[in-house]
Amino acid sequence: MLAVAILLSATPLRAADELPPIPPTPKKSVTDEYNGVKVTDDYRWLEPAADPEVRQWSSQQNARTRSYLDHLPTWPAMVERLTQLYSSPSARFSGLTFRGGVLFAMKTQPPKLQPFLVTLSSPDDPGSARIIVDPNALDSSGSTTLDFYGPSLDGKLVAVSLSKGGTEDGSVSVFEVATGKQLPDAIPRVHGATAGGSVAWKGDASGFWYTRYPPNSSFFQQIYFHRLGTPAAQDEYAFGKEFPRIAEIALDSSDDGKYVLARVANGDGGDFLHYMRGPEGRWHQITRISDETSEAAFGPGDSLYLLSRKDSPLGKLLELAPPAFSLGNAKTVVTPGRSSIDGFLAAGPYLYVRYTAGGPSKLVFKRLGEPERTIDIQPISSVGQLLRTNGSQLLFESQSFVEPPAWYRYDPSSGQLNRTALFQTSTAGFNDIELVRQTAVSKDGTRVPMNILRRKGAKLDGSNPALLYGYGGFGISQAPNFSIRRRVWLDYGGIWVIANLRGGSEFGETWHEQGRLTKKQNVFDDFIACAEYLIKAKYTSPEKLAIEGGSNGGLLMGAALTQRPDLFRAVASHVGIYDMLRMETFPNGVFNVTEYGTVKERDQFQALYAYSPYHRVKDGTDYPAVLFLTGENDGRVDPMNSRKMTARLQAATHSDRPVFLRTSSRSGHGIGTALNERIDQDADVFAFLFDQLGMK
């Protein structure tokens, strides 16, 4: 930290007029007509990534960006500090699974570049971790990542999907758990960037059902069965030809292997169907989209529990009995409450239920037919994965904005809650930081929560640099989470703010619905209201306010900077969607239609066109400084969005604030990004923001 301070005071920042010129970006107009409206696109030519002219332009933009970043006096010290922060925490164990008496986990252990798969003798003995599959050993460059794993029901074998370079295009291999030996089985095209991938083992471990894409297609995911020891070319089609084109399938087996569940999402908008395969070998449908069910999990005696939002935006839990699993005969075991259900687990005679209350979690348990009882977790924290081990005990992961993740054990018979030995420590403490929950009032009067992290004793005089983060979409809640990168910002007097915008599910499905399709503008209004609150309450000022977001949050950045450029000094936007009219011409965009809408419907087109960031850029406007970050291998949001938005803003802005494009050849959408690339990205973002906000 001292090194940063010395450099800031000793060396002048690189002036904008010292930068290389913006690469020549000709306009090549193409006009499309949507619902009778003609729309001109000057930069359509920047879409095809393989075009030599596009590659040259992108390379020149990268060189210009690096010329700026590499000459900032903060950059070397940022890399050093972030390397220290990211390399110092203890190991983190995540994605736990208990099969056949074996506890599996993904272990993240810096300075290793990728997480790896281990087994543990118990959650009280992290030293017992034994490596089963290590992508770092398979690929020293750090470009290979483990997408998912699925152990056999006896815990003796594990199927693992591996992909490279952030592409998420995963193939499955099989390993012996006892020896780590890889079997000859190799199954391609199981995992993809949007629809993901999954496996479910047969009870006798002779094979597994898995998700599979047709050749050269990102759509029509179906279910196949692989028998161990046979070539993948001989695998049997099992089910799925009637699934939607944009199906996203998740598979699960009952504990005894008698039943296989397929949860099928119709794209990304929150619509689901469920199918069950019974011992007789036939699949049958148990829910439809109109039933408004989502999460499903097996319970004792092969019963099935479903989260339903039918006439219940906050959710209710249903129990379905085998073998029919009839929704018509379902029993309601948890009625709607005042908070939204976002997770559950059946263990023995107990049912554990996780609620979200505006962002933070609440955790309860109950015997069926008895009242709920609250489990005492730390305030303003989140509960992640719920895991059943032996009997009815619960393992769950919890974290907060100031406390790293830790796994806890709860015993319902005694009421005892204990932290296990699977907890993460960090050399960067947050004891000097306080968390404040505040509320902004949006354009339509909706109250929007914010989480504000600040140094204790911070003066509210409008002089603090502040970083406002938001997402607001796909029913994804912004729950409290521990992020070590925030320490860099807070160390230099910064204030960090996380907004709980509509489009997420912090207050149930209604909160999500109010931020999707033709109501998407509500999300941007919420975010702008949060920024205005921070300025009015003198946390910061427009000259000291930066914003950051990624993916759907990148769309948010684009909308915010084009709708209210006067509110922000700098913007860091990761892997964002900016051209909403061309979104569905790319594979992932088709999956997004159920969340954003389509240009083929007049009302949805009008809403998309009204906020589409690329189309809302106005010539001669004083825009803030912007750093667009994207990955060449992004299979979720095509990098053409960042290229076109960069070109449009560079041509339009009237201010002297720079617009940069950073394209990484080592990453995709962010899933599976190697540790060293994450450090470089964060160093670039912080050096950029420190410079633009004049942080010293």
Side-chain angles (χ1 to χ4, degrees):
M1 290 185 289
L2 180 60
V4 178
I6 291 172
L7 283 167
L8 278 169
S9 62
T11 311
L13 301 180
R14 183 172 174 81
D17 57 10
E18 295 178 27
L19 289 171
I22 294 172
T25 312
K27 294 181 178 181
K28 303 178 183 181
S29 298
V30 176
T31 300
D32 298 299
E33 186 169 326
Y34 304 92
N35 298 284
V37 178
K38 292 184 178 181
V39 180
T40 299
D41 185 349
D42 290 332
Y43 301 108
R44 180 76 54 83
W45 67 272
L46 284 173
E47 289 186 6
D51 184 282
E53 188 179 7
V54 175
R55 295 185 69 85
Q56 181 183 17
W57 180 90
S58 184
S59 178
Q60 290 171 340
Q61 289 282 352
N62 251 4
R64 179 173 182 268
T65 301
R66 289 259 56 96
S67 176
Y68 164 76
L69 292 171
D70 293 346
H71 285 83
L72 290 176
T74 56
W75 192 86
M78 284 293 176
V79 173
E80 182 180 353
R81 176 62 171 150
L82 286 162
T83 301
Q84 176 194 12
L85 287 172
Y86 278 120
S87 300
S88 61
S90 63
R92 180 184 180 187
F93 295 87
S94 60
L96 272 60
T97 303
F98 194 69
R99 287 285 186 272
V102 180
L103 183 61
F104 295 82
M106 292 299 297
K107 183 178 180 180
T108 303
Q109 179 65 78
K112 283 199 170 189
L113 301 179
Q114 293 284 355
F116 48 100
L117 178 63
V118 301
T119 59
L120 296 158
S121 62
S122 92
D124 297 308
D125 187 10
S128 67
R130 185 171 59 84
I131 297 175
I132 307 301
V133 183
D134 185 359
N136 302 282
L138 299 174
D139 178 1
S140 61
S141 73
S143 66
T144 297
T145 191
L146 200 156
D147 305 307
F148 72 84
Y149 74 93
S152 59
L153 302 185
D154 60 9
K156 295 181 178 179
L157 298 170
V158 62
V160 171
S161 173
L162 297 166
S163 62
K164 289 181 175 291
T167 61
E168 302 180 70
D169 294 333
S171 299
V172 161
S173 302
V174 181
F175 295 82
E176 289 182 350
V177 173
T179 63
K181 176 185 175 183
Q182 183 174 350
L183 302 184
D185 302 77
I187 304 95
R189 299 191 59 74
V190 177
H191 189 273
T194 297
S198 187
V199 301
W201 283 84
K202 195 174 181 182
D204 61 4
S206 62
F208 50 82
W209 290 270
Y210 66 93
T211 51
R212 178 161 142 181
Y213 297 82
N216 304 313
S217 175
S218 300
F219 306 106
F220 299 109
Q221 192 183 56
Q222 297 173 8
I223 303 171
Y224 277 71
F225 182 78
H226 175 74
R227 187 171 302 279
L228 292 183
T230 62
Q234 296 178 13
D235 288 352
E236 306 166 6
Y237 163 79
F239 194 52
K241 290 180 180 177
E242 60 268 57
F243 289 172
R245 180 186 182 215
I246 51 175
E248 304 174 25
I249 307 168
L251 301 171
D252 190 21
S253 302
S254 60
D255 287 346
D256 56 13
K258 287 170 58 178
Y259 297 96
V260 178
L261 173 72
R263 188 189 76 158
V264 182
N266 182 35
D268 295 329
D271 297 328
F272 297 90
L273 312 99
H274 295 84
Y275 299 83
M276 189 72 75
R277 182 188 187 277
E280 77 288 350
R282 293 195 305 273
W283 294 83
H284 70 280
Q285 188 169 4
I286 58 176
T287 76
R288 291 170 173 78
I289 289 176
S290 59
D291 295 319
E292 297 182 40
T293 56
S294 54
E295 300 301 317
F298 287 106
D302 292 334
S303 57
L304 185 72
Y305 291 86
L306 280 171
L307 173 56
S308 169
R309 299 195 186 275
K310 182 84 168 180
D311 303 319
S312 306
L314 296 178
K316 59 188 174 183
L317 289 183
L318 308 177
E319 182 184 18
L320 282 64
F325 298 100
S326 169
L327 192 62
N329 296 326
K331 180 168 63 174
T332 301
V333 292
V334 176
T335 56
R338 289 184 294 178
S339 300
S340 177
I341 299 173
D342 77 339
F344 60 91
L345 177 74
Y350 297 98
L351 190 60
Y352 296 95
V353 185
R354 183 183 66 216
Y355 293 91
T356 179
S361 296
K362 183 176 77 170
L363 184 61
V364 306
F365 78 101
K366 62 177 290 183
R367 279 183 179 270
L368 296 183
E370 296 182 1
E372 293 181 345
R373 295 163 61 184
T374 300
I375 298 175
D376 189 20
I377 61 174
Q378 57 183 320
I380 313 182
S381 64
S382 64
V383 172
Q385 184 186 356
L386 307 175
L387 181 68
R388 180 179 68 246
T389 55
N390 293 320
S392 56
Q393 289 191 353
L394 171 72
L395 279 180
F396 68 91
E397 188 181 38
S398 183
Q399 60 183 306
S400 74
F401 289 115
V402 295
E403 292 289 338
W407 284 87
Y408 294 83
R409 179 190 290 106
Y410 182 76
D411 186 342
S413 60
S414 65
Q416 286 194 341
L417 175 66
N418 295 300
R419 188 178 71 169
T420 72
L422 302 184
F423 60 88
Q424 190 177 26
T425 60
S426 172
T427 55
F430 284 75
N431 293 334
D432 61 330
I433 303 301
E434 61 182 355
L435 171 66
V436 181
R437 289 269 286 178
Q438 297 285 8
T439 302
V441 179
S442 194
K443 186 176 182 179
D444 63 357
T446 300
R447 297 177 65 82
V448 182
M450 288 179 291
N451 308 277
I452 303 174
L453 290 164
R454 65 189 188 189
R455 297 280 289 269
K456 293 176 181 177
K459 294 180 180 180
L460 303 187
D461 58 5
S463 67
N464 303 298
L467 182 57
L468 173 61
Y469 175 87
Y471 186 80
F474 298 94
I476 298 173
S477 296
Q478 295 306 296
N481 72 309
F482 183 81
S483 174
I484 202 167
R485 73 191 287 262
R486 297 186 188 125
R487 187 70 257 186
V488 175
W489 187 262
L490 295 165
D491 277 342
Y492 289 91
I495 292 175
W496 195 294
V497 187
I498 304 98
N500 293 118
L501 312 171
R502 279 178 285 184
S505 59
E506 284 89 342
F507 295 102
E509 184 57 22
T510 300
W511 196 251
H512 174 215
E513 290 290 339
Q514 289 177 354
R516 68 187 284 250
L517 297 175
T518 58
K519 298 178 181 178
K520 188 68 177 176
Q521 180 59 41
N522 286 335
V523 181
F524 314 137
D525 291 342
D526 290 357
F527 191 73
I528 289 168
C530 289
E532 291 176 331
Y533 173 87
L534 294 171
I535 294 167
K536 184 178 180 180
K538 295 191 180 299
Y539 279 92
T540 189
S541 65
E543 282 297 309
K544 292 289 185 179
L545 179 57
I547 56 176
E548 183 180 25
S551 191
N552 174 75
L555 164 61
L556 172 63
M557 297 300 101
L561 77 90
T562 52
Q563 293 183 22
R564 288 297 305 274
D566 58 306
L567 273 184
F568 318 109
R569 180 62 179 81
V571 182
S573 189
H574 305 252
V575 295
I577 312 170
Y578 309 112
D579 186 343
M580 298 305 292
L581 303 188
R582 294 281 292 166
M583 171 199 68
E584 60 192 287
T585 63
F586 296 86
N588 185 76
V590 181
F591 287 88
N592 292 165
V593 162
T594 50
E595 175 76 10
Y596 293 134
T598 173
V599 296
K600 298 172 185 175
E601 300 289 338
R602 179 179 293 274
D603 61 335
Q604 293 178 6
F605 159 72
Q606 290 173 342
L608 290 164
Y609 190 38
Y611 72 74
S612 177
Y614 179 65
H615 299 94
R616 297 283 68 83
V617 177
K618 296 179 180 178
D619 292 331
T621 301
D622 289 332
Y623 286 108
V626 186
L627 174 61
F628 291 112
L629 300 97
T630 188
E632 278 187 10
N633 305 319
D634 193 341
R636 298 193 181 222
V637 175
D638 195 286
M640 72 88 181
N641 282 274
S642 296
R643 292 194 291 270
K644 291 173 66 174
M645 190 66 177
T646 298
R648 182 70 186 95
L649 267 183
Q650 286 177 339
T653 187
H654 178 261
S655 73
D656 60 356
R657 297 167 184 173
V659 176
F660 294 114
L661 174 63
R662 179 196 191 276
T663 304
S664 169
S665 62
R666 299 187 292 168
S667 65
H669 197 64
I671 296 91
T673 301
L675 176 61
N676 54 359
E677 172 62 15
R678 283 195 287 127
I679 290 171
D680 286 349
Q681 288 182 14
D682 284 348
D684 287 348
V685 168
F686 283 135
F688 166 74
L689 295 178
F690 270 51
D691 181 26
Q692 295 301 318
L693 271 62
M695 294 175 68
K696 298 178 180 173

